[in-house]
Amino acid sequence: MAPSLFSSHLNFFFQPQLDTWSIRTISHDLQIMNASMALTWMEAGRRYTTQLAFSRADEVDKGKPAHSLGSAAHLTLRIPINSCLEVEVCFSLLHASPTMLWRLEIKNKGASAIRLISADMMAAGSDERMGLYGHLRQALAHFNEERNGRRSGVHFASPEIDLAFYSSGWQSWSYAGLVGADQSMPRTRLGPIRRPMVDQPGVNIPRGQGRVRSDMFGVLLDRISHVGILAGFLSQRAAFGTVASYMGGEKPSLHLRTNLDGVLLDPGESFISDWACIDFIDIKSSDPLSTYLDLTAKENSARVANTSPLGWCSWYYYFQEVHQTHIQDHLKWAKEYEDEIPLEVYQIDDGYQSNIGDWLTTNERFPGGMAQLAGDIQGAGHEAGLWIAPFIALSSAQVVQRNPDWVLRNRYGLPVNTGWVWESFGRALDVTHPGVQEDIVGVIDTVINRWGYSYIKLDFLYAAALTGKRYNPRLTGAQALREMLIKIREMAGEESTLVGCGCPLGSGIGIFDSMRVGPDVAPSWKPRYPFVDALIKNEWDLPSARNALHNTITRAPLHRRWWINDPDCLLLRRTEPQLSEAEVQALVTVVALSGGAAMVSDDLLALDAERRSWLARICPLLPGRMRVVDLLQEERPKLLLMELAGAIGKWWLIAILNWEDEEQHFEIPLEVFGLNPLLDYHSVDFWNAQYKSVHDRVLRSGPIAAHGVELIALREARDESQWVGDTLHISQGLCVKSWDHGDRTLTVMIDCERGAQGQVWLALPGPPKSLRIQGHELEYKVVSPKIYSVCLEIDRSAILEVE
């Protein structure tokens, strides 16, 4: 069997000889795989589509690739389309990873302008002998054998396959996750009310089983052989790209397209696409998306802060009825509880402005003005935050009434559809218009440099990328959005924190410090709206606790690569039956393990002591990122893992989620978490404050309530004194700063960075003669042989002494 395009480029990675990589091999590989590339454009009012004929190509250059991703082999081919149009295809093979990159440069050599519609970067189907997936298996086997220098442990003896596709989604609120070959792609049923918000403009979610689509990147995979192929783009600076697949039978297709929006290409001008890429992944590896995500971060100069934001947001309790006195009351609360809950950011959300779009004029509920309020927040020792939706307005806003030519319009001269926002259809602003640009930059200047807000949440950003007749027709929707975001970042400065929301993900890399990765949370498990609950309960992009949790999990790998993930706000209030206690615990657990931003959005003055303690116990926030163990195995991933280490050694936080509507028990083999099944382990259930031993290769959960979670700390059981777990902090161990064990004494330095109280479990050789904290004797309980528990209350730090 002749090598496919994929196996050929992998072979090239291991034997990088440029003279073996030529027009002949590329053309041959495309033919063998039944793959093609094509360009669609409009000229003189007529639409044309042509395949790129590599047999007619000339080799142009074998110099250095136009990227900074590391050492690579490079080949550029010139392909004439007609007397007026020419395409150069630049291929680049990275030496540090088996990733192939390619991009197009489309040149208008004619005398009149043309409009670019789309470019099919790869349209791969199956041939009668093997099919795309057969090539995939063959190539990955070769990859493993070559990389390991020996025959790999990956075998494909079984002809059975279980295809699935990971979709990344277009913008913050769009569905992201796995879709099986026997399933239909989740899609909104709300048509023009919702689709403009969550679907890439001009690209429809496919209907039918096994027909799937993703934005920017996607993964076609087999859950039996654990082979996956990742295809996509390294950026969305030039255009929005899509990945589509049909998983019917054993011969799936894979289609990679860049959507060019009918952008105008003048005579003598060129359009350069984003880099497309293709790579192989082992879906059982601990971090299967890492190569692609790291390359993308480097290509876009991603911004990743040292710490994640911890604070309060006004939206989910006060909504648009927020009053300046609410902010002032919460600043007083913050002072009262600063030793227990050290919140850093206080962010005012929607509701301060006179209208959506008129950001610099306040309403009657903010008589003191926004500058004074920012001063109050800063004076209380917090960072002042403010919400803005700069690219969208209501028709009644002054910015629209005074400047109707700023509104983005369709070919009929009507305002483009933004979807249903604020109980009406909004108005998208044309961000290529000089007036709009000046106005938005002025708003950012005022908010940051005159009012004093340094934490800025920018919302509804998709509006800038909607399809319409732009003031500058030479920019795609992706280019228009990206260029405006760059202007905002330049005005905001490097020190300000920018948070993106409702934003196409690829457009925000390198701009935003933090990015919302899911739909809005809400004080209900499923989406709810008066009179239509039954209609919208299966809408995966509408506000709800379930939807926010789902995307926080399925987009977890983006955290600390592209930005700090924003899982949306914590809701701790008691709202049964809207949100049960188990559902609130699931929210707290997933937000904490995400390692991302933690912004609580309750009336903090009304929180009872128990719910207040739940907030306290996630402070300070966890470092790193969680690993979603079954991310590429399950449509609803339920296994979360975070490995931690400190003065007391190494341990694992494991969360098991129950997505079902009824109580469940789970039995999970330890190997699933990468743990040695032959060892014994200590485990402590954080929410139920219970200890148990794990010693028979399987982790067995207790009863997990509907939509609830079990969060445990797991440690190898050793024949020595050990810190087994605690409820002082959700990490169950990071509060321990030193662990000094003498012949007869144990001295433990504890520092929670706040006042804390909770239970601690210790493994000791025998009953302690005494347990003291800061010299005060403590009582303990025997909970299991050689396992003892004690209740602690400490003022930030303390010394625990065991004799």
Side-chain angles (χ1 to χ4, degrees):
M1 172 64 68
S4 72
L5 175 64
F6 302 137
S7 58
S8 175
H9 95 257
L10 288 175
N11 182 61
F12 182 80
F13 165 64
F14 297 109
Q15 297 178 351
Q17 300 296 323
L18 275 174
D19 58 0
T20 67
W21 195 36
S22 64
I23 300 173
R24 182 188 59 79
T25 56
I26 290 176
S27 179
H28 182 255
D29 290 339
L30 286 165
Q31 291 174 2
I32 289 295
M33 194 177 145
N34 196 20
S36 63
M37 299 172 66
L39 178 67
T40 300
W41 75 99
M42 290 193 70
E43 185 176 358
R46 296 185 61 184
R47 186 183 181 106
Y48 300 87
T49 297
T50 185
Q51 289 194 356
L52 303 188
F54 285 88
S55 58
R56 298 172 54 197
D58 296 320
E59 293 185 12
V60 177
D61 181 29
K62 291 186 179 180
K64 293 183 179 180
H67 58 65
S68 58
L69 300 175
S71 176
H74 169 67
L75 175 66
T76 299
L77 308 179
R78 181 188 295 121
I79 304 173
I81 304 299
N82 56 34
S83 60
C84 301
L85 193 59
E86 178 181 279
V87 176
E88 287 188 0
V89 187
C90 177
F91 293 93
S92 183
L93 290 171
L94 300 177
H95 292 155
S97 69
T99 303
M100 184 172 79
L101 311 176
W102 71 103
R103 73 179 185 186
L104 305 182
E105 181 174 357
I106 306 166
K107 299 181 178 182
N108 183 356
K109 308 189 82 173
S112 59
I114 63 172
R115 290 191 177 273
L116 302 178
I117 307 301
S118 65
D120 292 341
M121 306 295 283
M122 182 185 71
S126 59
D127 61 30
E128 294 301 318
R129 296 167 293 172
M130 193 173 192
L132 172 60
Y133 213 75
H135 288 307
L136 171 61
R137 289 182 168 195
Q138 183 188 64
L140 191 74
H142 175 74
F143 162 61
N144 280 299
E145 290 172 10
E146 294 285 350
R147 169 161 285 190
N148 296 332
R150 51 183 167 80
R151 181 168 293 278
S152 74
V154 180
H155 300 288
F156 305 113
S158 172
E160 296 182 1
I161 58 174
D162 180 12
L163 293 179
F165 185 84
Y166 173 83
S167 175
S168 62
W170 182 51
Q171 60 114 311
S172 302
W173 312 326
S174 305
Y175 175 88
L178 207 64
V179 181
D182 60 347
Q183 297 175 320
S184 297
M185 184 89 183
R187 61 197 308 273
T188 181
R189 296 187 297 171
L190 301 181
I193 293 175
R194 192 68 182 173
R195 190 172 297 148
M197 298 184 184
V198 295
D199 290 348
Q200 186 186 133
V203 180
N204 294 322
I205 298 292
R207 298 176 181 269
Q209 291 185 351
R211 298 187 182 277
V212 291
R213 196 215 73 191
S214 183
D215 297 84
M216 191 164 176
F217 79 97
V219 182
L220 176 64
L221 57 94
D222 175 16
R223 290 183 279 197
I224 294 178
S225 64
H226 310 297
V227 176
I229 184 168
L230 185 151
F233 297 86
L234 293 189
S235 64
Q236 290 187 328
R237 296 192 295 261
F240 294 121
T242 57
V243 187
S245 178
Y246 173 56
M247 298 181 286
E250 296 186 7
K251 297 178 179 180
S253 65
L254 192 60
H255 190 178
L256 191 59
R257 170 176 288 179
T258 183
N259 302 300
L260 303 178
D261 300 345
V263 66
L264 194 67
L265 188 63
D266 290 319
E269 297 297 321
S270 297
F271 183 94
I272 301 177
S273 75
D274 300 290
W275 286 103
C277 66
I278 197 163
D279 200 355
F280 290 93
I281 61 174
D282 178 354
I283 67 172
K284 288 195 71 177
S285 70
S286 60
D287 201 359
L289 304 181
S290 60
T291 298
Y292 168 76
L293 297 178
D294 290 342
L295 286 173
T296 304
K298 188 174 183 179
E299 172 71 4
N300 294 276
S301 302
R303 301 172 59 94
V304 180
N306 292 328
T307 58
S308 298
L310 172 65
W312 177 80
C313 168
S314 64
W315 177 247
Y316 290 105
Y317 190 82
Y318 297 107
F319 296 97
Q320 287 188 299
E321 299 304 314
V322 65
H323 194 288
Q324 70 177 30
T325 58
H326 297 143
I327 312 302
Q328 294 161 343
D329 290 344
H330 277 79
L331 292 176
K332 296 175 184 176
W333 181 95
K335 181 65 176 177
E336 180 179 355
Y337 290 100
E338 63 182 353
D339 292 336
E340 179 184 351
I341 304 172
L343 299 181
E344 300 158 357
V345 179
Y346 273 73
Q347 183 227 309
I348 304 165
D349 213 280
D350 185 5
Y352 66 89
Q353 72 284 349
S354 60
N355 203 342
I356 300 297
D358 299 330
W359 308 111
L360 300 185
T361 55
T362 56
N363 56 47
E364 68 281 359
R365 296 187 302 277
F366 287 79
M370 301 308 292
Q372 176 184 321
L373 207 49
D376 293 342
I377 296 171
Q378 293 169 347
H382 306 287
E383 184 174 8
L386 193 66
W387 172 93
I388 308 170
F391 304 155
I392 197 169
L394 292 182
S395 60
S396 57
Q398 289 299 306
V399 69
V400 173
Q401 294 292 315
R402 294 172 179 171
N403 307 284
D405 58 320
W406 289 8
V407 174
L408 185 62
R409 300 179 184 275
N410 61 24
R411 59 181 176 173
Y412 303 109
L414 301 175
V416 301
N417 182 12
T418 63
W420 188 252
V421 292
W422 297 282
E423 306 300 323
S424 67
F425 289 101
R427 299 291 184 264
L429 300 182
D430 179 359
V431 297
T432 69
H433 193 291
V436 173
Q437 295 175 358
E438 182 180 0
D439 184 71
I440 292 174
V441 169
V443 168
I444 300 300
D445 182 25
T446 298
V447 166
I448 294 177
N449 299 318
R450 300 183 186 181
W451 289 356
Y453 292 88
S454 56
Y455 181 95
I456 311 300
K457 179 180 176 182
L458 303 171
D459 207 348
F460 291 84
L461 300 179
Y462 71 89
L466 294 173
T467 301
K469 296 184 69 174
R470 304 185 192 282
Y471 179 88
N472 185 352
R474 293 162 183 83
L475 296 180
T476 65
Q479 289 172 324
L481 171 59
R482 180 75 180 189
E483 290 192 9
M484 192 66 244
L485 291 178
I486 290 173
K487 293 179 185 296
I488 289 174
R489 169 51 76 183
E490 289 172 348
M491 176 51 70
E494 292 299 308
E495 300 304 316
S496 297
T497 298
L498 297 185
V499 181
C501 187
C503 182
L505 298 187
S507 303
I509 308 171
I511 302 292
F512 291 106
D513 304 280
S514 183
M515 176 69 81
R516 173 79 75 76
V517 291
D520 282 15
V521 73
S524 61
W525 180 249
K526 294 181 181 180
R528 299 187 66 182
Y529 198 80
F531 312 114
V532 292
D533 286 2
L535 174 65
I536 66 173
K537 65 180 181 180
N538 292 321
E539 293 281 325
W540 282 90
D541 53 67
L542 285 177
S544 73
R546 179 199 67 186
N547 294 354
L549 284 178
H550 180 268
N551 268 33
T552 299
I553 292 169
T554 57
R555 285 176 170 162
L558 307 185
H559 179 59
R560 292 206 165 278
R561 286 195 169 104
W562 290 3
W563 43 56
I564 298 296
N565 274 8
D566 176 8
D568 206 14
C569 295
L570 279 171
L571 303 181
L572 296 167
R573 72 199 75 158
R574 296 184 184 275
T575 60
E576 293 88 346
Q578 289 182 320
L579 271 184
S580 68
E581 178 177 83
E583 291 163 351
V584 175
Q585 289 177 348
L587 269 176
V588 174
T589 300
V590 173
V591 169
L593 263 64
S594 78
M599 302 288 288
V600 62
S601 192
D602 288 297
D603 178 3
L604 298 181
L605 286 69
L607 283 186
D608 60 37
E610 180 185 44
R611 297 296 171 95
R612 197 168 61 243
S613 74
W614 292 4
L615 177 58
R617 289 173 184 178
I618 70 169
C619 306
L621 301 181
L622 289 171
R625 81 175 68 84
M626 65 182 174
R627 174 189 162 202
V628 183
V629 177
D630 49 350
L631 174 66
L632 300 181
Q633 292 282 352
E634 299 289 340
E635 287 77 13
R636 305 287 171 260
K638 63 178 179 292
L639 303 178
L640 312 180
L641 175 68
M642 178 176 277
E643 183 176 323
L644 296 172
I648 50 177
K650 181 174 69 175
W651 69 100
W652 299 269
L653 285 184
I654 295 175
I656 305 174
L657 286 160
N658 176 16
W659 293 102
E660 303 301 322
D661 295 333
E662 298 177 349
E663 179 180 283
Q664 299 287 321
H665 291 76
F666 298 94
E667 294 187 358
I668 315 294
L670 291 173
E671 295 100 320
V672 169
F673 301 104
L675 301 177
N676 188 340
L678 303 179
L679 299 179
D680 294 340
Y681 295 86
H682 298 302
S683 75
V684 171
D685 182 333
F686 180 80
W687 291 112
N688 293 311
Q690 292 179 348
Y691 167 87
K692 64 181 176 182
S693 176
V694 178
H695 51 76
D696 57 355
R697 297 173 174 261
V698 174
L699 181 62
R700 293 181 174 85
S701 76
I704 303 178
H707 315 148
V709 66
E710 182 170 290
L711 175 62
I712 66 169
L714 207 62
R715 289 173 167 86
E716 294 179 6
R718 300 191 298 270
D719 190 20
E720 59 185 26
S721 299
Q722 289 181 265
W723 184 282
V724 172
D726 66 81
T727 60
L728 296 170
H729 184 255
I730 199 165
S731 67
Q732 298 205 53
L734 290 181
C735 288
V736 180
K737 303 305 179 183
S738 67
W739 180 271
D740 298 322
H741 198 289
D743 291 339
R744 292 179 173 273
T745 61
L746 174 65
T747 304
V748 184
M749 174 64 184
I750 303 171
D751 186 353
C752 294
E753 302 180 27
R754 57 173 179 80
Q757 56 184 356
Q759 195 169 350
V760 172
W761 288 262
L762 299 171
L764 301 171
K769 292 182 179 179
S770 71
L771 270 168
R772 296 185 301 277
I773 187 97
Q774 299 298 93
H776 299 288
E777 199 70 28
L778 300 171
E779 294 184 358
Y780 65 85
K781 293 181 180 180
V782 181
V783 297
S784 191
K786 299 186 178 182
I787 304 296
Y788 307 88
S789 72
V790 60
C791 292
L792 300 183
E793 183 171 352
I794 61 176
D795 183 9
R796 187 180 177 91
S797 63
I799 302 293
L800 175 65
E801 298 173 292
V802 183
E803 184 179 344

